């Protein structure tokens, strides 16, 4: 869903900068700032040999100033370092342009609560029967596949786990 929103032409037209960062399980504010800079800086030499977090944050602030941005923080897991998140997002919050947006995706309710400034949107999996048809279409090339029973059995276990 987040990818769909990110790629929508209306989003592209509205925001000056679009930034997609995969956060994953290892929260590292320097790494994340560098990844954000990859999207906002025209010249990589401006930041590539810098490891000081504060300097990187200043470069980020300079490059987003007066620009409307969408930042997607994808696959967030860290919910223990609220201070780290606050420091990471500080230059983004100091931007004076109205309409900037941060969208976070997570499977963890505690992460959503930690970063939430608005209500979370919960997505549940597809109905088991519907997902099985979808899975067969992807795995076997046909949602009506009725071939090898052992493959179907394995597929049903995988589909049930994936939801």
């Amino acid at each position: 869903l987040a990818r769909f929103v990110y790629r929508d032409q209306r989003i592209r037209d509205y925001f000056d900068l679009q930034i997609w960062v995969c956060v994953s399980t290892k929260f590292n504010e320097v790494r994340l700032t560098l990844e954000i800079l990859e999207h906002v800086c025209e010249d990589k030499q401006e930041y590539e040999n810098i490891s000081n977090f504060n300097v990187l944050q200043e470069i980020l602030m300079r490059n987003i100033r007066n620009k409307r941005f969408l930042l997607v923080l994808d696959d967030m897991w860290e919910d223990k370092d609220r201070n780290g998140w606050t420091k990471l997002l500080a230059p983004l919050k100091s931007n004076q342009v109205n309409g900037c947006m941060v969208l976070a995706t997570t499977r963890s309710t505690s992460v959503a609560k930690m970063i939430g400034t608005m209500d979370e949107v919960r997505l549940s999996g597809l109905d088991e029967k519907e997902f099985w048809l979808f899975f067969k279409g992807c795995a076997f090339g046909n949602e009506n596949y009725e071939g090898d029973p052992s493959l179907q059995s394995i597929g049903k276990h995988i589909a049930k786990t994936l939801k």
Side-chain angles (χ1 to χ4, degrees):
L1 180 60
R3 279 263 181 228
F4 181 77
V5 169
Y6 186 80
R7 292 180 177 151
D8 189 275
Q9 189 60 47
R10 293 168 292 184
I11 298 298
R12 293 176 183 272
D13 293 342
Y14 182 77
F15 292 101
D16 301 314
L17 297 170
Q18 288 180 257
I19 308 156
W20 185 286
V21 177
C22 184
V23 179
S24 200
T25 56
K26 300 216 187 230
F27 175 76
N28 179 308
E29 54 213 16
V30 172
R31 175 187 67 85
L32 294 171
T33 304
L34 284 167
E35 287 189 33
I36 292 169
L37 286 169
E38 286 179 21
H39 290 275
V40 301
C41 290
E42 292 180 19
D43 186 5
K44 193 173 185 173
Q45 291 179 340
E46 188 176 353
Y47 64 87
E48 71 180 341
N49 293 320
I50 299 172
S51 59
N52 181 290
F53 178 69
N54 292 327
V55 173
L56 291 170
Q57 291 279 283
E58 288 173 19
I59 295 168
L60 177 57
M61 202 171 338
R62 256 194 333 266
N63 280 277
I64 63 166
R65 186 174 290 128
N66 300 321
K67 293 181 182 169
R68 185 179 296 135
F69 63 83
L70 167 65
L71 169 61
V72 177
L73 297 169
D74 187 34
D75 197 26
M76 289 180 56
W77 288 91
E78 175 62 56
D79 64 350
K80 309 234 181 325
D81 190 1
R82 184 176 190 87
N83 187 42
W85 284 111
T86 302
K87 289 190 316 187
L88 174 70
L89 298 175
L92 304 171
K93 289 181 178 181
S94 70
N95 193 343
Q96 299 299 313
V97 177
N98 287 330
C100 295
M101 185 68 59
V102 176
L103 172 67
T105 69
T106 183
R107 296 178 206 172
S108 168
T109 305
S110 60
V111 170
K113 286 179 182 170
M114 178 192 74
I115 60 170
T117 57
M118 57 186 294
D119 293 337
E120 63 191 61
V121 177
R122 288 181 173 259
L123 301 177
S124 59
L126 293 173
D127 172 76
E128 196 173 317
K129 290 177 185 173
E130 290 174 11
F131 188 75
W132 174 235
L133 292 175
F134 173 71
F135 183 86
K136 284 197 301 184
C138 292
F140 304 118
N142 181 350
E143 68 180 35
N144 296 317
Y145 177 81
E146 296 297 332
D148 187 335
S150 64
L151 283 180
Q152 286 210 55
S153 175
I154 293 168
K156 283 183 180 178
H157 286 296
I158 293 171
K160 190 173 187 175
T161 302
L162 294 176
K163 296 183 182 176

